[in-house]
Amino acid sequence: MAYKVDHEYDYLFKIVLIGDSGVGKSNILSRFTRNEFCLESKSTIGVEFATRTLQVEGKTVKAQIWDTAGQERYRAITSAYYRGAVGALLVYDITKRQTFENVQRWLRELRDHADSNIVIMMAGNKSDLNHLRAVSGDDAQILAEKEGLSFLETSALEALNVEKAFQTILLDIYHIISKKALAAQEAASINLPHGTTINVGDLSGNMNKRTCCST
Amino acid sequence: MSFGLQKLVGDSGMERKRIDDYEPGPIPSPKPLDRFGFIKQEFNTSPEGLSKSRTANDHEREERRVRKWRKMIGIGGSDWKHYVRRKPNVVKRRIRKGIPDCLRGLVWQLISGSRDLLLMNPGVYEQLVIYETSASELDIIRDISRTFPSHVFFQQRHGPGQRSLYNVLKAYSVYDRDVGYVQGMGFLAGLLLLYMSEEDAFWLMVALLKGAVHAPMEGLYLVGLPLVQQYLFQFENLVREQLPRLGEHFTQEVISPSMYASQWFITVFSYSFPFHLALRIWDVFLYEGVKIVFQVGLALLKYCHDDLTKLPFEKLIHALRNFPEDAMNPDTLLPMAYSIKVSKRLEELKLEYEKQNGKQAQSGESSGKQK
């Protein structure tokens, strides 16, 4: 399979991009993977996919990101993509209160369909539109703390915090993975040969495979 | 209202401009358009396909074709039904070669059965647009500027294109409140609006979704997207049967058709395919039904078969969403598509899906909760 012959990275993490329609998920993805922003973008139908490889604590990590259609009815198709994901970027639009109110529903979706240890980052996007703000940073921070999520405000347009949001998710995942690997090593009292790729789940989009983050 | 549109284009190499500064009125359009009204993009080498190398000869042939078609249709479509009854195979053959662009709008209405619906329901559309309200209005508005954003007709904020698109979608969401509005429907409506009036486009949507001539398509948009799921099941099986080596490769790389083909079905190729190809597919789709979507999908895979079987997961996904220019030439792709026989297997696979799905619906539900 792909990951066995491709040794260009040490880890491969599957991330899902979720949140209401029109909050800017696809532009966050294009900003992160291609450093592009398209004002005239089409609404996403079904799922889109992109990757980017970057360094996390000296390791080469490939982020495999699935961008999903936000409209509720599409969950019939998109929720299948939560399986095997080790991270989620849950996006709302700081200028649309309703998209923030719906964060709870998205969390429920993740609880129902994703692995329980999934790392979740909440992103309040469109921070460039501060004059139209309808969700305060404090409100979001309170929710994030209550739900145990990381939180950042982002602007895909101005390339603000997009990189940091993904970096944070990937770092959190990496920490969980390395802790688990360490625990496993100790338990087995053997050392992993240097350079071994630890399967952290959905290495080639396999939806049936369990991740090592799952319980 | 500014919504999220008051933004500058980022560093994507596009021209900087402020959308918000545009008031209704003619927009300056310095950008070159292709013959369908889409803004030409430099990296897209030939958005208008064959028209580039048109010769006088081609032009004459086109003229002859139009004359033949006019004769077949009669004045305002008066001879159409008669002709179809007498020579259904001639009609089919001619449609497969492509309906002349200047007659497309009219012929689409004739072959889809929408013209009859329009005549049987005078005043209904107006009623739906003016007097009714829809729970989907905000959802529709949110997507209006994200539907064919690179087409000159739909580009202008609150311009005639966007208004028509809104009206048609809103009318449909009232007409069928179970379907309401679902993302993807805008591309159907948008494509139709480039060839006919709002009211005609609305009735053509009704004809398709309610099944005036062919099986109803509303299942593509109903809760659970049941028809999308069924089509993907059928398509996956057809790939395995007709292109076994590629099917095996997909299984190994864990590629499922939902990763690349959902849009094909949900928007009947109007979402991301070259417009001249989408139109040719729509010609056949309206006359022969959804099987052409399967055939074209299979033909694309077949055409690119040897390349696709070599690619690992990520490159494979990319390739399945970005077919090469030569694969999307309608004059080679469509004949290939017509040669692929699917009708009988589609019927059998539908029954198989229904049988499985009865069980799946329940077991899927319970296993989903077992975390």
Side-chain angles (χ1 to χ4, degrees):
Chain A
M1 300 250 278
Y3 62 90
K4 283 183 185 148
V5 289
D6 187 355
H7 283 306
E8 286 159 11
Y9 52 85
D10 300 309
Y11 297 96
L12 192 149
F13 296 152
K14 176 178 167 182
I15 314 276
V16 285
L17 256 170
I18 57 171
D20 279 9
S21 186
V23 298
K25 297 182 291 296
S26 300
N27 270 318
I28 286 181
L29 180 64
S30 65
R31 175 62 78 195
F32 180 62
T33 57
R34 300 192 303 275
N35 199 22
E36 283 175 11
F37 180 91
C38 182
L39 189 60
E40 297 174 340
S41 59
K42 289 186 273 191
S43 41
T44 304
I45 308 289
V47 290
E48 297 283 346
F49 170 85
T51 64
R52 189 177 143 198
T53 303
L54 62 172
Q55 296 294 313
V56 176
E57 294 206 337
K59 300 283 181 193
T60 307
V61 171
K62 183 173 215 167
Q64 188 186 77
I65 306 156
W66 293 89
D67 175 24
T68 59
Q71 201 183 7
E72 181 154 2
R73 213 163 291 182
Y74 273 96
R75 290 183 203 170
I77 299 181
T78 55
S79 63
Y81 289 84
Y82 302 166
R83 264 171 281 162
V86 289
L89 188 64
L90 200 178
V91 187
Y92 68 90
D93 174 351
I94 67 152
T95 71
K96 297 228 169 66
R97 186 80 199 175
Q98 190 60 46
T99 66
F100 177 67
E101 308 283 336
N102 285 344
V103 163
Q104 295 283 4
R105 297 172 70 177
W106 286 105
L107 289 172
R108 212 174 312 134
E109 279 286 303
L110 285 175
R111 274 198 291 275
D112 287 349
H113 298 283
D115 295 316
S116 52
N117 279 351
I118 191 166
V119 171
I120 306 169
M121 157 73 76
M122 181 169 75
N125 194 37
K126 307 193 187 178
S127 65
D128 51 287
L129 296 175
N130 199 35
H131 56 295
L132 299 173
R133 179 185 287 276
V135 183
S136 74
D138 289 347
D139 282 2
Q141 194 63 52
I142 289 165
L143 178 68
E145 273 163 29
K146 186 178 136 230
E147 297 290 342
L149 319 170
S150 313
F151 166 63
L152 278 173
E153 286 196 348
T154 58
S155 166
L157 177 83
E158 292 179 346
L160 196 75
N161 276 345
V162 172
E163 188 80 16
K164 193 173 168 194
F166 281 103
Q167 281 277 4
T168 309
I169 296 180
L170 295 171
L171 191 65
D172 286 354
I173 297 168
Y174 176 72
H175 284 153
I176 294 174
I177 300 292
S178 30
K179 237 183 272 167
K180 286 214 171 190
L182 202 64
Q185 272 180 39
E186 281 165 1
S189 305
I190 50 153
N191 287 318
L192 283 173
H194 185 69
T196 302
T197 302
I198 299 164
N199 186 337
V200 290
D202 200 1
L203 285 169
S204 66
N206 186 337
M207 294 196 220
N208 300 318
K209 247 186 249 164
R210 305 294 293 184
T211 78
C212 75
C213 291
S214 56
T215 44
Chain B
M1 290 251 274
S2 329
F3 297 124
L5 284 167
Q6 194 184 38
K7 291 178 169 186
L8 295 173
V9 176
D11 46 10
S12 57
M14 293 170 67
E15 199 185 324
R16 286 166 78 94
K17 62 170 190 184
R18 261 184 188 278
I19 287 286
D20 242 27
D21 291 345
Y22 290 139
E23 287 303 317
I27 37 166
S29 179
K31 296 174 186 164
L33 304 176
D34 72 13
R35 69 173 160 132
F36 298 111
F38 285 91
I39 291 156
K40 279 186 181 172
Q41 277 162 358
E42 286 133 47
F43 51 85
N44 198 343
T45 46
S46 168
E48 49 193 318
L50 310 165
S51 66
K52 246 189 351 190
S53 54
R54 276 205 168 183
T55 62
N57 229 343
D58 292 338
H59 187 72
E60 210 166 286
R61 207 172 52 201
E62 180 71 13
E63 286 293 301
R64 272 204 307 277
R65 223 160 58 86
V66 171
R67 276 199 297 275
K68 262 199 258 179
W69 269 89
R70 282 198 200 282
K71 229 173 117 187
M72 185 161 75
I73 297 166
I75 297 159
S78 54
D79 295 342
W80 176 258
K81 280 187 180 164
H82 183 61
Y83 200 101
V84 173
R85 217 174 301 123
R86 252 179 43 236
K87 296 180 175 173
N89 284 325
V90 175
V91 174
K92 182 171 163 180
R93 202 174 62 230
R94 285 189 182 163
I95 286 176
R96 284 182 167 202
K97 283 185 193 160
I99 300 167
D101 205 53
C102 58
L103 297 173
R104 209 163 234 142
L106 173 61
V107 175
W108 280 3
Q109 292 173 59
L110 294 170
I111 58 184
S112 66
S114 74
R115 184 46 71 89
D116 296 334
L117 288 172
L118 171 82
L119 296 173
M120 286 186 294
N121 296 281
V124 171
Y125 178 72
E126 200 189 345
Q127 170 76 27
L128 295 171
V129 171
I130 298 177
Y131 299 106
E132 305 281 347
T133 54
S134 158
S136 311
E137 282 169 20
L138 287 176
D139 288 352
I140 297 170
I141 289 169
R142 187 198 52 217
D143 284 340
I144 286 295
S145 64
R146 305 201 290 161
T147 308
F148 293 124
S150 66
H151 194 282
V152 69
F153 184 54
F154 297 114
Q155 221 186 16
Q156 187 188 355
R157 281 194 71 203
H158 314 304
Q162 293 201 356
R163 273 203 303 268
S164 300
L165 192 55
Y166 173 79
N167 287 344
V168 171
L169 293 170
K170 185 211 137 180
Y172 196 88
S173 71
V174 176
Y175 178 83
D176 184 345
R177 291 187 192 267
D178 288 336
V179 166
Y181 165 73
V182 182
Q183 292 182 323
M185 289 166 72
F187 289 89
L188 264 65
L191 178 119
L192 296 173
L193 281 170
L194 295 176
Y195 283 88
M196 58 193 78
S197 75
E198 262 180 57
E199 189 172 10
D200 293 336
F202 169 77
W203 287 110
L204 212 154
M205 296 270 290
V206 174
L208 284 177
L209 271 67
K210 293 295 174 189
V213 176
H214 304 288
M217 277 172 63
E218 59 187 351
L220 287 177
Y221 308 110
L222 285 168
V223 174
L225 313 182
L227 200 53
V228 180
Q229 316 244 28
Q230 180 200 310
Y231 286 163
L232 292 176
F233 171 87
Q234 289 169 302
F235 189 74
E236 185 165 33
N237 280 281
L238 285 171
V239 172
R240 280 204 208 109
E241 292 163 13
Q242 308 235 1
L243 306 163
R245 213 152 62 80
L246 186 61
E248 177 55 30
H249 184 59
F250 281 169
T251 308
Q252 259 180 29
E253 295 295 327
V254 207
I255 293 275
S256 80
S258 77
M259 294 172 187
Y260 61 93
S262 317
Q263 299 165 356
W264 298 355
F265 291 108
I266 292 171
T267 69
V268 194
F269 286 110
S270 63
Y271 180 74
S272 58
F273 276 70
F275 201 67
H276 66 282
L277 173 60
L279 292 170
R280 291 285 304 274
I281 296 172
W282 271 73
D283 291 345
V284 183
F285 165 67
L286 291 174
Y287 193 63
E288 300 185 34
V290 74
K291 79 170 180 188
I292 188 66
V293 180
F294 289 91
Q295 289 171 306
V296 169
L298 288 166
L300 279 166
L301 297 183
K302 198 171 167 185
Y303 187 90
C304 303
H305 182 273
D306 293 355
D307 294 327
L308 294 175
T309 50
K310 288 188 201 106
L311 297 177
F313 178 72
E314 279 166 26
K315 289 184 177 143
L316 192 49
I317 289 216
H318 183 78
L320 289 166
R321 292 175 161 278
N322 300 278
F323 287 98
E325 183 87 14
D326 56 319
M328 296 194 288
N329 177 355
D331 293 319
T332 47
L333 182 66
L334 291 179
M336 198 170 182
Y338 304 144
S339 73
I340 301 172
K341 299 292 167 231
V342 294
S343 300
K344 189 164 157 261
R345 278 305 284 153
L346 277 180
E347 203 44 52
E348 291 165 358
L349 287 165
K350 177 173 180 255
L351 294 175
E352 201 175 306
Y353 178 78
E354 281 164 358
K355 222 164 74 185
Q356 275 186 28
N357 196 46
K359 290 174 206 154
Q360 236 177 35
Q362 290 150 11
S363 66
E365 193 76 293
S366 56
S367 71
K369 300 264 147 68
Q370 261 173 21
K371 288 262 158 89

